[in-house]
Amino acid sequence: MISSRFAPSFEPSPWSAHVDARLLAAHAAGGAPVIDLTVSNVTAPEHKLFSESLEESLEMADSDSIYQPHPRGAQRVRALVADHLAQALGPRPNPNDLWLTASTSEAYVWLFALLADCGDEILVPEPSYPLFASFAAITGVRLQTYALVYDDAWMIDLQSLVNSLSDRTRAIVVVSPNNPTGSRLRRWELDAITALCAQRAIALIADEVFAEYLLDPAPDAVDTVVGERRCLTFALGGLSKSAGFPQAKLGWIAMSGPDNEVAAASRALDHIADSLLSVSGAVQRQAPWLMQEGRKRQALIDRRIRDNLTTLRSLCDSHPAAVSQPLRCEGGWAAVLRVPAICDDEQWARWILDESSVLVQPGHLYDFSAPGHLVLSLLTEPQRWAEGVRKMLGVIAQHIRQDASRT
Ligand SMILES: Cc1ncc(COP(=O)(O)O)c(C=O)c1O
């Protein structure tokens, strides 16, 4: 009755079952609450980031307003998005090359459907955003991965990308800054990828949802692929991250590339967008306010992630056992902590949760190729962050000592 594409993904993983049981037990015991260092929802009340909520300001559609949807979204909203991109990232796209979507996630689904037949392949980075598998399942596309490797900084393993190409490859996805590695696309990586795409008539999809959140320096990094003309290119963004408004449900696709490819892709993308018309009139009317308020939210988030990264570094540096270090983080909302691979990541996360009531994510949720990675949300409220990190480091130090005394 249900497509076989979905069956496996409904089973809770052992890790999420363990977390649920632990949270329930902590709640039932009524003791100290778990310090959750994984919450990436910027509006979560425990982050204490924003005072004003969207709901307070959102006026719903006038009951007598006339519904005149455009498949790409209202022209004036696309013009606002173009201004926003110009201000934040440099190039101003023509508003006619923008499609509004309900979210970046939706944009992925539209683009996978636009570019690939069932069974065709799309290349995605690893480690990266875990939802690619869902977008692929929804659209019947097969994912192939290429590796990001770490050597003082994360970079694309271009050989692994070339090895993953096949006759059925239809698109290459890059995420910059990537979630959770925080790595940014380098100019030479973009040159190599656009050359491959142009040669093989495949498209580039660049997820730039975190493009405004920059942390460690990244020499020669690409700010945006908006306006890239060497191959058919789609740059994705949205208010969920750039304005701290995930509930607004407003994202966008900026298309560019060789004229003939853009013309063909535009017709097909209009068809998809026109079939769904998924961006509400109410949100489009509120777009000027959302953009304006979003700049304030962005500044608050920016301050939070910077401060928390600094705290994390100094707590790791000053910890007597010097047990672990955050990896270089060029942007985004996550920090990756390197821990000794004396066990797998899930075991580390279990020890930390069970022994200190601090919740962190094991790296395997993001498909790190090797053990020894924990992922933390930099959005966490600063006092909880410092307390949670200290406790976590204490557990890590203790297990390293135990391991050393055994060997
Ligand atoms: C890299 C990346 N892309 C896209 C998204 C989804 O964004 P949206 O809320 O616009 O669907 C996320 C969400 O965390 C993300 O981490």
Side-chain angles (χ1 to χ4, degrees):
M1 247 184 296
I2 297 170
S3 159
S4 60
R5 299 201 300 268
F6 298 108
S9 53
F10 294 139
E11 293 299 322
S13 69
W15 167 243
S16 61
H18 181 75
V19 171
D20 288 348
R22 190 65 185 66
L23 293 178
L24 263 179
H27 183 70
V34 167
I35 299 179
D36 189 343
L37 300 186
T38 73
V39 180
S40 58
N41 176 357
V42 73
T43 65
E46 64 266 36
H47 289 334
K48 299 187 184 146
L49 259 165
F50 314 130
S51 52
E52 187 157 13
S53 81
L54 171 61
E55 289 71 22
E56 279 163 22
S57 86
L58 189 65
E59 294 163 22
M60 293 312 288
D62 304 334
S63 53
D64 61 351
S65 69
I66 299 164
Y67 180 50
Q68 285 180 309
H70 187 290
R72 299 184 192 186
Q75 173 76 24
R76 64 178 190 291
V77 181
R78 283 183 280 127
L80 275 179
V81 171
D83 292 342
H84 165 81
L85 289 171
Q87 196 206 358
L89 305 177
R92 184 181 192 277
N94 184 328
N96 292 334
D97 296 328
L98 295 175
W99 278 255
L100 303 184
T101 62
S103 63
T104 314
S105 308
E106 184 180 65
Y108 272 115
V109 171
W110 288 13
L111 293 179
F112 284 17
L114 173 82
L115 298 166
D117 288 329
C118 276
D120 279 346
E121 295 170 2
I122 293 194
L123 261 56
V124 296
E126 194 175 83
S128 190
Y129 184 45
L131 249 65
F132 291 135
S134 297
F135 308 146
I138 293 167
T139 49
V141 164
R142 286 182 17 204
L143 292 183
Q144 296 294 343
T145 58
Y146 65 88
L148 302 183
V149 287
Y150 190 80
D151 183 9
D152 288 334
W154 288 98
M155 62 195 94
I156 295 176
D157 178 348
L158 284 172
Q159 191 54 51
S160 94
L161 188 148
V162 170
N163 294 346
S164 295
L165 290 167
S166 81
D167 290 347
R168 299 211 65 174
T169 308
R170 294 291 170 264
I172 298 173
V173 173
V174 296
V175 185
S176 178
N178 185 39
N179 177 12
T181 59
S183 46
R184 296 177 64 200
L185 183 68
R186 296 301 199 266
R187 174 67 42 199
W188 56 271
E189 292 171 334
L190 178 63
D191 291 344
I193 291 172
T194 51
L196 283 169
C197 288
Q199 254 165 34
R200 304 175 70 112
I202 58 184
L204 169 63
I205 301 174
D207 179 334
E208 300 184 343
V209 295
F210 292 115
E212 285 115 310
Y213 299 102
L214 304 183
L215 293 162
D216 291 333
D220 210 22
V222 176
D223 292 328
T224 179
V225 302
V226 168
E228 172 63 62
R229 288 184 55 85
R230 289 172 287 183
C231 64
L232 184 61
T233 301
F234 302 92
L236 311 186
L239 296 190
S240 153
K241 307 291 186 286
S242 77
F245 276 122
Q247 70 276 54
K249 305 307 297 175
L250 188 61
W252 53 80
I253 299 169
M255 193 194 299
S256 58
D259 290 342
N260 56 341
E261 293 181 39
V262 166
S266 297
R267 278 192 293 275
L269 194 53
D270 276 344
H271 177 79
I272 295 174
D274 203 17
S275 308
L276 298 168
L277 294 172
S278 55
V279 186
S280 81
V283 159
Q284 295 190 69
R285 245 188 310 285
Q286 289 297 322
W289 181 85
L290 289 166
M291 298 280 190
Q292 202 187 354
E293 189 63 19
R295 280 193 279 279
K296 295 186 223 156
R297 289 188 165 210
Q298 193 191 98
L300 291 171
I301 298 169
D302 188 64
R303 159 96 326 169
R304 173 68 56 85
I305 59 176
R306 276 174 198 286
D307 289 352
N308 278 351
L309 188 59
T310 306
T311 306
L312 177 64
R313 291 219 162 104
S314 84
L315 288 174
C316 287
D317 283 345
S318 61
H319 195 274
V323 286
S324 50
Q325 271 305 319
L327 297 185
R328 186 185 181 80
C329 180
E330 295 167 352
W333 294 357
V336 176
L337 197 68
R338 194 75 185 259
V339 285
I342 57 171
C343 61
D344 64 31
D345 296 351
E346 189 158 323
Q347 183 60 62
W348 270 124
R350 279 179 187 242
W351 280 332
I352 293 165
L353 179 59
D354 294 352
E355 294 166 26
S356 69
S357 290
V358 173
L359 182 56
V360 300
Q361 286 183 308
H364 75 74
L365 298 182
Y366 297 86
D367 293 319
F368 281 81
S369 62
H373 300 95
L374 298 174
V375 177
L376 319 179
S377 168
L378 288 168
L379 297 173
T380 310
E381 191 277 324
Q383 274 185 351
R384 287 168 70 79
W385 177 253
E387 188 187 347
V389 168
R390 267 196 209 96
K391 288 182 167 174
M392 172 191 70
L393 292 175
V395 174
I396 296 173
Q398 193 190 336
H399 281 276
I400 293 173
R401 274 196 300 274
Q402 282 170 4
D403 184 69
S405 68
R406 269 198 302 272
T407 50

